[in-house]
Amino acid sequence: MSNTVNILNGLELLYPDNSVISQLKRTLHSYPKVEPGLVNAYSIGQIKSKLWLIDHLPDNLGMVFICAGWYGTLASFMFDKARHKFDKIRSFDIDPSCYSVADTMNKPWVIDGWQFKASTLDIHSMKYPTEYSTYRSNGTSLSLSESPDTIINTSCEHIENFDTWYFKIPNGKIVVLQSNNFFEVEEHINCSNSLEEFANQTPMEHVHYSGELFFDKYTRYMRIGIK
Ligand SMILES: C[S@@+](CC[C@H](N)C(=O)[O-])C[C@H]1O[C@@H](n2cnc3c(N)ncnc32)[C@H](O)[C@@H]1O
């Protein structure tokens, strides 16, 4: 048994009905190999950044597409803390190993009418409305066509040809974007040097929030508005 599972087992005795503990235990039980990634997704920097986002989310987000949604942690925090602000969440990641982990993390909302559903998709192939395939729990696939009201991307620093992706988003959509200046990480191929540089990359018709969150090794930038 890994140290993480050991700690979670102990915590579960203390807090038997805690949804985050059961969510993590369930996911690590089904996907033990993703433990290092999940531990990273629950690091202090990741959680602070997600709570910062939730604190500034406007109301009436409608159908939310989380682009480059990884293991679905932001979605699970939004269900926990901001359920009144949105209708449904769809999570898309190019990595085919992410969707089943994200669906397991958000299982209660997958089971309940697909309030959450994760799928594999290169966000560069996203059209509006978006046609994509997803998998049911029995392994069969289904083609869907859905349109977002809100597009969230907290992984802008990871997106190659970011400008091409951003300019394809139709004007009038709500956009919620985070990036950072953490150039040292190899996968960070689209960092920004400043909030101003990030703003130049993400022009908006109306800005609802624009700010910085400081960490020891990097600064995270966030912009929320109407494209
Ligand atoms: C390490 S994660 C997320 C880190 C980020 N700070 C966050 O918390 O949201 C970055 C994700 O971007 C995904 N990604 C990168 N390029 C993508 C693309 N073109 N389409 C969809 N997902 C992409 C990767 O597969 C990965 O899961």
Side-chain angles (χ1 to χ4, degrees):
M1 187 190 307
S2 76
N3 285 342
T4 313
V5 174
N6 208 358
I7 290 168
L8 288 170
N9 283 340
L11 285 174
E12 198 173 42
L13 290 178
L14 283 168
Y15 307 105
D17 298 320
N18 185 282
S19 60
V20 176
I21 296 171
S22 51
Q23 165 192 56
L24 272 171
K25 274 193 64 175
R26 176 176 67 237
T27 308
L28 288 175
H29 179 76
S30 301
Y31 302 98
K33 287 191 180 148
V34 304
E35 183 174 329
L38 263 191
V39 168
N40 179 8
Y42 276 86
S43 65
I44 185 77
Q46 291 289 346
I47 292 189
K48 263 194 174 175
S49 306
K50 305 291 184 292
L51 293 178
W52 180 44
L53 181 152
I54 288 170
D55 275 349
H56 292 282
L57 273 182
D59 290 331
N60 301 318
L61 300 174
M63 168 64 92
V64 176
F65 279 12
I66 300 184
C67 292
W70 202 15
Y71 293 144
T73 48
L74 172 61
S76 75
F77 300 155
M78 285 174 63
F79 277 102
D80 193 33
K81 299 195 177 298
R83 185 64 193 94
H84 56 291
K85 294 199 172 183
F86 63 89
D87 179 20
K88 291 180 178 176
I89 297 180
R90 303 291 178 246
S91 182
F92 299 101
D93 200 287
I94 196 170
D95 178 347
S97 70
C98 286
Y99 83 88
S100 48
V101 178
D103 274 352
T104 306
M105 290 281 285
N106 292 281
K107 193 169 181 179
W109 305 289
V110 175
I111 290 171
D112 189 358
W114 279 11
Q115 294 174 55
F116 175 88
K117 191 73 192 76
S119 309
T120 303
L121 190 77
D122 179 347
I123 61 170
H124 283 292
S125 67
M126 212 170 236
K127 298 191 185 86
Y128 302 89
T130 306
E131 287 171 17
Y132 67 99
S133 296
T134 197
Y135 287 99
R136 301 182 184 93
S137 56
N138 66 7
T140 60
S141 73
L142 172 73
S143 295
L144 290 172
S145 175
E146 292 183 310
S147 207
D149 303 295
T150 300
I151 291 146
I152 299 181
N153 190 338
T154 60
S155 305
C156 296
E157 71 277 10
H158 286 262
I159 307 303
E160 244 180 301
N161 302 320
F162 177 86
D163 297 354
T164 312
W165 172 75
Y166 187 70
F167 283 101
K168 279 206 298 204
I169 298 174
N171 292 343
K173 300 283 182 199
I174 302 168
V175 285
V176 180
L177 307 167
Q178 287 187 350
S179 189
N180 61 45
N181 64 354
F182 204 179
F183 287 88
E184 290 81 35
V185 178
E186 202 184 328
E187 297 83 31
H188 289 181
I189 42 81
N190 183 49
C191 283
S192 294
N193 284 293
S194 63
L195 181 60
E196 194 187 1
E197 192 177 296
F198 188 42
N200 288 335
Q201 216 183 19
T202 56
M204 295 176 189
E205 184 193 312
H206 169 76
V207 177
H208 169 81
Y209 178 85
S210 183
E212 297 171 295
L213 189 62
F214 300 101
F215 294 97
D216 288 347
K217 292 188 176 165
Y218 65 96
T219 302
R220 198 175 290 276
Y221 312 117
M222 178 161 72
R223 287 176 44 80
I224 300 177
I226 311 283
K227 182 170 175 234

